[in-house]
Amino acid sequence: MKEIKDHEQLRRYLQLYRIEAIFNEQIVPYLSLFSFNQGELICSQGEAAEYLYVLVKGKVKIYHTSAEGKSLILSFKNPLEVIGDIEYVQGIEFINTVEAVSPIHMIGIQHRWLKKYGKDDASLLQFLLEIITKKFYIKSNSLSFNLMHPVEIRLASYLLSVSFDEADSQFQGHLKSADLRDAANLIGTSYRHLNRVILQFGKEGLIERDKGVIVVKDREGLSTLASRNIYE
């Protein structure tokens, strides 16, 4: 994580997403703009939550790890998204892990300033209410639905999510062969089954394994297979 000391860029993000009115004049001086590199963790499950983050550039991956050590991907998110809202309201540790899929920018503010200057602010509270209720609506409709899809669709969706960012045409990520076991856990399948599907995708020309990474060769073909990206 690196702080970007550019108040003009911060102001442009507030204007771009029309969220200037969300933060009152007492809170604004305590807003910071942060950058995270691809693969960097924004927060980890079980970690003390000290910041509320607003995603304004890039894409993040959100996943949860069980007590048995099994991880499951919940979703990929693009701007505008809030990280740490539930934790702020409930006063709890982070309930999920959030990782940067592409280079990202986040507006961040420490909980102590929100509590001091925003706990009774109607605009901020309404914003958080809308964000949180939207999350629960999406989660209740998608989690079990996603798990019922065959592995082919889950893998196609996962590869599309980690390889492309709709807001950044220059970004093209990839999946490392060394990370396949983690990928299998995240999409809820076995490592052996995942490898079979990857082999199948390779034969169909959808992907290619090259120097320890899996590269998407036919984005349109994967999109057709997935029908719609179930993680986004």
Side-chain angles (χ1 to χ4, degrees):
M1 179 179 74
K2 180 181 178 181
E3 184 174 358
I4 303 172
K5 296 183 181 297
D6 187 336
H7 295 294
E8 182 60 27
Q9 187 174 12
L10 173 58
R11 186 184 65 82
R12 287 197 296 269
Y13 279 132
L14 292 173
Q15 292 179 336
L16 176 63
Y17 294 104
R18 300 178 182 178
I19 53 175
E20 308 105 304
I22 300 303
F23 302 108
N24 63 50
E25 60 183 16
Q26 292 177 299
I27 293 177
V28 168
Y30 298 101
L31 296 177
S32 298
L33 184 61
F34 298 105
S35 67
F36 293 81
N37 295 323
Q38 180 183 357
E40 192 172 355
L41 295 183
I42 291 84
C43 59
S44 298
Q45 181 179 331
E47 179 181 75
E50 298 179 358
Y51 275 86
L52 178 81
Y53 294 106
V54 181
L55 176 65
V56 290
K57 177 185 177 182
K59 178 185 288 189
V60 298
K61 174 173 65 178
I62 303 173
Y63 58 94
H64 188 83
T65 304
S66 71
E68 295 76 27
K70 293 185 177 181
S71 297
L72 182 66
I73 191 164
L74 300 177
S75 62
F76 287 81
K77 295 293 184 180
N78 298 287
L80 185 72
E81 181 62 36
V82 178
I83 305 298
D85 44 1
I86 297 173
E87 290 81 356
Y88 166 67
V89 173
Q90 292 292 320
I92 58 176
E93 299 172 335
F94 282 112
I95 57 178
N96 297 312
T97 297
V98 182
E99 178 184 328
V101 173
S102 63
I104 67 169
H105 286 173
M106 291 268 200
I107 295 174
I109 181 168
Q110 292 183 347
H111 287 185
R112 59 174 173 156
W113 303 122
L114 284 176
K115 292 174 181 176
K116 185 173 183 178
Y117 298 120
K119 67 178 182 179
D120 297 318
D121 186 282
S123 296
L124 177 61
L125 294 176
Q126 180 64 32
F127 174 69
L128 291 176
L129 177 63
E130 291 175 359
I131 290 289
I132 292 172
T133 52
K134 180 181 177 181
K135 285 183 177 180
F136 277 102
Y137 175 79
I138 292 173
K139 183 176 181 179
S140 65
N141 280 279
S142 66
L143 186 55
S144 59
F145 180 69
N146 290 351
L147 290 175
M148 289 188 291
H149 281 84
V151 173
E152 289 80 3
I153 291 179
R154 279 182 269 158
L155 179 59
S157 294
Y158 183 80
L159 288 171
L160 289 168
S161 292
V162 299
S163 299
F164 303 102
D165 183 351
E166 297 298 335
D168 183 359
S169 59
Q170 300 302 311
F171 173 76
Q172 183 162 2
H174 53 254
L175 176 62
K176 295 180 182 178
S177 297
D179 295 333
L180 286 181
R181 290 190 184 276
D182 288 338
N185 285 334
L186 288 169
I187 66 174
T189 189
S190 70
Y191 177 67
R192 182 176 295 180
H193 192 178
L194 182 70
N195 269 303
R196 284 198 295 265
V197 177
I198 287 174
L199 183 61
Q200 172 191 328
F201 282 6
K203 291 178 179 178
E204 294 172 357
L206 298 173
I207 61 174
E208 180 179 80
R209 295 183 88 152
D210 181 37
K211 297 179 181 178
V213 298
I214 295 171
V215 180
V216 174
K217 303 301 292 183
D218 185 356
R219 181 179 181 180
E220 185 176 342
L222 280 181
S223 298
T224 300
L225 175 63
S227 180
R228 69 176 184 87
N229 192 323
I230 63 175
Y231 295 124
E232 297 191 24

